[in-house]
Amino acid sequence: MQVVIQKIPENLPEFELLAAEGRQPERICALFLCALALFDRNKEAGAAAMNLLRGPKPLTPYDCQFLRDRLRGKPYLPLAYFEGATPENGYQPQVPYALKLRQKASTGEWFLWEYSSILSGIRIPAAEDPWS
């Protein structure tokens, strides 16, 4: 299964429009990455986007600090999980943005697929790697 997004939201109103298109679990995964990308550009708008996904439990100041720490100096991180993003191309995914998921046949559950770990260390873009 793939989740396809035509454009990464650049502000909170764009994020809200994208979120209004559906709240299926697989879309929430893709929206999470979009919210992280927005948070990296605009902390307030990104936090509001994350809160839309979190429901009745908004981000705490600690949560916001955690996100700031993990994204600091890594604007490429949220986009690294979309198809076509590689260290060699600076983690610039193909447009439209597609996120691969995998279904476990025995339970019907959907899972993120082809990723290492969101918000953890991944290879830096080749252009930033002095050893490339």
Side-chain angles (χ1 to χ4, degrees), residues 62-118:
Y62 174 80
D63 295 328
C64 288
Q65 184 61 47
F66 179 81
L67 290 174
R68 275 192 298 275
D69 291 346
R70 295 304 180 273
L71 292 172
R72 185 175 294 125
K74 299 176 186 174
Y76 54 85
L77 188 61
L79 300 180
Y81 301 97
F82 288 105
E83 277 188 41
T86 66
E88 292 74 28
N89 69 11
Y91 293 108
Q92 292 302 308
Q94 300 164 352
V95 178
Y97 302 93
L99 178 66
K100 282 192 178 180
L101 303 171
R102 184 173 183 180
Q103 187 175 34
K104 184 176 179 182
S106 63
T107 64
E109 297 171 291
W110 287 95
F111 297 91
L112 289 172
W113 193 245
E114 293 185 13
Y115 73 99
S116 55
S117 181
I118 296 174

Side-chain angles (χ1 to χ4, degrees), residues 29-42:
C29 292
L31 288 168
F32 170 67
L33 296 174
C34 291
L36 288 176
L38 182 56
F39 187 90
D40 186 60
R41 289 190 307 274
N42 179 320

Side-chain angles (χ1 to χ4, degrees), residues 1-3 23-31 99 101 110:
M1 164 186 257
Q2 284 189 337
V3 176
R23 301 286 295 193
Q24 302 86 351
E26 60 274 14
R27 285 192 55 83
I28 296 298
C29 292
L31 288 168
L99 178 66
L101 303 171
W110 287 95

